Amino acid sequence: MDAKKRERYEKISIDLTRLVGGKENIQGVAHCATRLRIVLKDNDQADLKAIEDVDLAKGVFVAGDQVQIIFGAGLVNDVYEVFAEHNNMKNMSLSDLKTVANKKMNPLQRIIKALSDVFVDIMPGILAAALLTGLSGVLGNLDFVKANETLFGINRLINISSGAIFGFLPLAVAYSACKRFGGRPILGIVMGCIMLSNSLADAYAAAQGTVEVTTLRIFGLGVDLVGFQGGIIVALLMGFVTAKLDIFFEKKVPEVIRLLLSPLLTTLVGAILLFTIIGPAGRGLSSGITNALVWMTQNLGVFGYAVFSGLQQLVVITGLHHIFGAIEAQLLADTGRNFINPLMSVAIIAQGGAVLAYLAMHRKNVKVRELCIPSFISVLFGITEPALFGINLRYRFPIIGGCIGGALGGIVVYFTNLAALGFGTTVVPGIALADPAGNGYVNYIIAHAVAIAGGFIMTLVLGRFMDQAPAAAAAAEARKETVAEGTGTGTAGAGMQEDALEELEAPEEESFFGYANGRQIPMEEVKDETFANKVLGDGAAVIPEEGKVYAPADGTVLSVFDTKHAVCFASKYGTEILIHIGVDTVNLQGKYFTAHVKDGDAVKKGQLMIEFDKEQIQKAGYDTVIPMIFTDLPDDRRLEVSAPGKMTADRAAAVIRKA
């Protein structure tokens, strides 16, 4: 690193240290491929708005308990090195940083995060069941399906499939909870099997009094042999208890008999606790939650709905919204209908309406367009964090307008008796979960139209009195553009062997071919906000079939990351790209990755650059999607990404043309 660059990075480090509250407020620092990640003792001391204007910073947001500042590939390595040295915190890994962040959480936050983690693993199954239930409901109402024996049979199979998944949901929850809390997952499955054993009376039949229930006497307590169908809360509690029992007996039982005795004791003690303490307590808690929600709908009426949908996105800001998954699952198990899902959905789309209103008010501001458009696209798929933290909270009045719009949507949900047959997805894909009874799909669309229109209009109205951003934002944008133009840094591989690249005059059209064999998808579908929102630039993404990454064109390797999960590359015409293997795979610290090129290597199109063990990375819990990002396209160039489909070495993933 030359003296001039180091001086610049030292200035950035000094500014950042001051803006996050000083050295004494910094608990940890690390970086991934594009972001500097900082854990602070007190996030309130950080001036996020001012950090956005720090030299070379492309954006800032708070994710969990980390302040994440986007600098871009290559550049972030150099900034981190100087910043960490300035604050005496070098050699801290991302896993170390996450440990620090978790310690910072209070007990309630840790509980909420744990609940969220439990449902993340089993969400695909829940979504499958919900979508199949909705599909079965639609087909079951069509006369030609009823009249055709084949279609009727297929619909019957769909109905059986959806019912089976929901029927065994407690087993899945017990498995996931046991795994999350450190126990052996198979013991969670065993406990789930006990809960649903056919030796027990069916819980629904027992509640209706249509089946005889056997009662045992254990320790003087009457124990009813009733199953736990629909017992989501009980399954959560039992997953936790089973994990802790497993850990306890694994430590206490002598090694010579541990394999036989430890799982036996875990299962036996767990079963006794299930029927004597945890089962009854869990049933009481479940009943209380469901009764409270039903009471709200019956006694607070439209006011209760409006308050819930109006304030739900404020709950998202606190991170407490993850608990709704467990409540929705229990509500479905007890009543068969989930009115919370459409209320959350209208609350989400209303924040999207607020984003559109802010965009309309500042449509000439380039930075506002870059923030608002991808944020709104995320909202359409039920993800509001970019909109909330990037725009609505930041400028205050849009969050108010969005909350009002959400309340208006909740009123429509109430009067149309709208509900869902599942949970886990909202807004555009969420329509598939809507209960079709009583024109449910039409009502779903109407409720969302009212919410987005309400959020849009109320934000415009409030903006007339509360918007103070235009002058300051325009000035900041002008300063950043001046700095960027004057330095030419802040892009992938910035300042890395720039003089060594012999660039040719760019042609009218430049193609970048398949860099990985697999299925190409739009960048918006990558499950990472930075990539999906194109913070680092537009590009393509591939779901790989094999663990190999090839050069997409003739060019030069600017930088291979130490962790080998990403490579910065420049074509022979000087077009810079970042190829990033997987999401959050920097945490693997290079495990399962092999680099076949090094910094400064000249490569030919189709040359193998990186190999990785796709199966092992997936087993470790990481998404292996591979984005290819064009980080610094000139203004006179436009990018055309190929349509989704099969990606091979002879198919162009993207083409750059003169604008």
Side-chain angles (χ1 to χ4, degrees):
M1 187 185 304
D2 62 44
K4 186 175 181 181
K5 285 183 180 178
R6 184 172 185 85
E7 182 180 345
R8 187 175 189 184
Y9 299 152
E10 286 176 349
K11 174 64 167 60
I12 291 172
S13 299
I14 292 169
D15 289 344
L16 282 180
T17 302
R18 173 176 53 83
L19 293 173
V20 298
K23 291 184 178 182
E24 63 278 3
N25 194 40
I26 300 175
Q27 288 188 303
V29 59
H31 75 94
C32 59
T34 59
R35 304 167 229 175
L36 183 68
R37 303 182 180 212
I38 309 172
V39 173
L40 304 177
K41 294 178 182 176
D42 181 6
N43 285 349
D44 291 339
Q45 292 187 34
D47 189 341
L48 299 182
K49 186 174 180 60
I51 291 173
E52 288 185 340
D53 294 329
V54 167
D55 185 19
L56 302 181
K58 293 184 177 181
V60 60
F61 58 94
V62 177
D65 280 299
Q66 296 179 21
V67 174
Q68 300 190 11
I69 307 164
I70 301 169
F71 283 102
L75 176 62
V76 70
N77 299 59
D78 293 337
V79 173
Y80 163 77
E81 182 180 344
V82 177
F83 181 81
E85 185 178 291
H86 178 71
N87 289 282
N88 301 316
M89 289 189 175
K90 293 196 70 173
N91 302 319
M92 176 176 275
S93 68
L94 274 178
S95 59
D96 295 334
L97 192 75
K98 289 182 178 180
T99 300
V100 172
N102 288 336
K103 288 180 179 177
K104 187 182 170 187
M105 293 182 181
N106 61 45
L108 178 60
Q109 289 173 322
R110 284 197 286 268
I111 291 171
I112 297 301
K113 185 179 185 302
L115 284 176
S116 173
D117 292 343
V118 168
F119 282 92
V120 164
D121 266 2
I122 61 175
M123 189 56 70
I126 294 171
L127 285 175
L131 294 171
L132 287 172
T133 301
L135 179 61
S136 176
V138 173
L139 295 177
N141 290 324
L142 300 176
D143 292 335
F144 73 86
V145 173
K146 297 176 183 177
N148 185 292
E149 63 178 13
T150 298
L151 293 177
F152 179 82
I154 291 173
N155 188 45
R156 177 66 176 149
L157 292 177
I158 293 173
N159 183 265
I160 291 172
S161 300
S162 63
I165 299 172
F166 273 126
F168 286 91
L169 187 57
L171 187 152
V173 171
Y175 151 79
S176 187
C178 185
K179 177 182 175 184
R180 166 61 181 81
F181 293 109
R184 285 173 285 187
I186 185 61
L187 295 179
I189 292 177
V190 169
M191 199 55 61
C193 291
I194 295 172
M195 291 175 62
L196 302 175
S197 172
N198 56 13
S199 298
L200 304 173
D202 181 89
Y204 299 119
Q208 296 170 2
T210 58
V211 66
E212 184 177 348
V213 177
T214 301
T215 301
L216 303 179
R217 305 298 297 182
I218 299 178
F219 302 127
L221 298 173
V223 176
D224 295 332
L225 297 184
V226 179
F228 295 90
Q229 289 79 10
I232 310 302
I233 302 297
V234 177
L236 276 170
L237 295 172
M238 279 312 304
F240 173 80
V241 169
T242 302
K244 297 308 177 184
L245 288 173
D246 185 32
I247 294 170
F248 175 79
F249 288 123
E250 279 291 291
K251 289 181 178 179
K252 298 299 182 181
V253 175
E255 187 174 355
V256 67
I257 56 173
R258 184 180 300 159
L259 180 62
L260 295 175
L261 198 57
S262 175
L264 183 153
L265 291 173
T266 297
T267 304
L268 177 61
V269 175
I272 293 173
L273 291 174
L274 169 65
F275 289 103
T276 58
I277 299 175
I278 296 174
R283 280 197 175 109
L285 180 59
S286 302
S287 177
I289 292 172
T290 303
N291 290 339
L293 291 171
V294 173
W295 180 89
M296 183 187 80
T297 64
Q298 293 175 341
N299 294 275
L300 299 182
V302 65
F303 177 75
Y305 274 67
V307 169
F308 185 95
S309 58
L311 301 181
Q312 191 269 341
Q313 284 296 292
L314 299 183
V315 179
V316 172
I317 296 169
T318 69
L320 298 177
H321 62 296
H322 295 299
I323 200 171
F324 287 132
I327 296 173
E328 288 180 278
Q330 192 64 59
L331 189 62
L332 277 169
D334 290 345
T335 68
R337 299 179 89 241
N338 174 15
F339 66 87
I340 292 179
N341 180 269
L343 288 176
M344 291 195 298
S345 191
V346 295
I348 289 169
I349 196 63
Q351 295 300 325
V355 169
L356 289 181
Y358 194 83
L359 174 61
M361 296 169 65
H362 305 288
R363 55 189 175 276
K364 293 183 180 180
N365 188 309
V366 175
K367 187 170 183 179
V368 168
R369 293 202 301 270
E370 290 176 349
L371 280 172
C372 290
I373 293 174
S375 295
F376 178 73
I377 293 172
S378 294
V379 165
L380 293 178
F381 293 91
I383 302 169
T384 53
E385 280 81 358
L388 287 176
F389 295 109
I391 299 134
N392 295 0
L393 266 177
R394 180 178 173 188
Y395 299 113
R396 293 181 176 82
F397 68 91
I399 189 75
I400 301 173
C403 288
I404 296 173
L408 295 174
I411 292 173
V412 177
V413 171
Y414 173 80
F415 284 113
T416 58
N417 193 30
L418 184 61
L421 298 176
F423 71 99
T425 188
T426 50
V427 196
V428 173
I431 193 172
L433 305 184
D435 185 350
N439 296 316
Y441 296 131
V442 174
N443 293 333
Y444 187 93
I445 294 171
I446 292 173
H448 285 70
V450 169
I452 193 172
F456 183 88
I457 293 170
M458 291 309 303
T459 300
L460 288 180
V461 171
L462 292 170
R464 293 177 63 89
F465 308 100
M466 301 174 65
D467 188 12
Q468 301 175 352
E477 179 69 16
R479 287 197 304 273
K480 289 188 76 174
E481 287 180 357
T482 300
V483 170
E485 290 171 2
T487 62
T489 57
T491 62
M496 301 178 67
Q497 303 175 19
E498 294 170 20
D499 299 332
L501 292 176
E502 184 179 346
E503 296 179 9
L504 303 176
E505 183 178 351
E508 292 288 327
E509 179 180 296
E510 184 180 6
S511 297
F512 291 81
F513 291 87
Y515 56 95
N517 293 322
R519 178 169 61 88
Q520 183 166 335
I521 62 172
M523 281 284 284
E524 292 84 355
E525 293 183 13
V526 176
K527 297 174 183 177
D528 180 89
E529 291 178 11
T530 298
F531 295 132
N533 292 333
K534 303 176 183 178
V535 174
L536 301 173
D538 201 352
V542 171
I543 298 176
E545 294 176 349
E546 60 177 4
K548 294 182 178 180
V549 171
Y550 305 93
D554 295 347
T556 303
V557 176
L558 296 177
S559 173
V560 178
F561 285 73
D562 293 339
T563 49
K564 304 179 185 66
H565 75 291
V567 57
C568 297
F569 172 88
S571 74
K572 63 183 179 181
Y573 300 111
T575 302
E576 295 184 0
I577 62 173
L578 166 68
I579 298 177
H580 194 288
I581 304 169
V583 175
D584 286 334
T585 46
V586 65
N587 297 334
L588 294 172
Q589 295 295 302
K591 190 177 182 182
Y592 308 129
F593 292 91
T594 302
H596 293 278
V597 293
K598 61 182 183 300
D599 296 3
D601 280 358
V603 295
K604 294 292 185 182
K605 177 176 77 71
Q607 181 176 334
L608 180 63
M609 295 197 296
I610 304 286
E611 273 191 289
F612 59 97
D613 193 327
K614 176 172 168 284
E615 287 71 26
Q616 290 299 324
I617 292 172
Q618 288 175 330
K619 284 181 182 178
Y622 294 94
D623 188 342
T624 56
V625 65
I626 309 176
M628 177 175 70
I629 304 130
F630 292 80
T631 55
D632 191 31
L633 279 182
D635 293 337
D636 63 344
R637 297 272 159 175
R638 60 186 173 88
L639 174 67
E640 295 181 7
V641 179
S642 300
K646 178 72 173 178
M647 177 53 61
T648 58
D650 57 354
R651 180 179 186 263
V655 176
I656 296 198
R657 292 187 171 90
K658 284 191 175 180

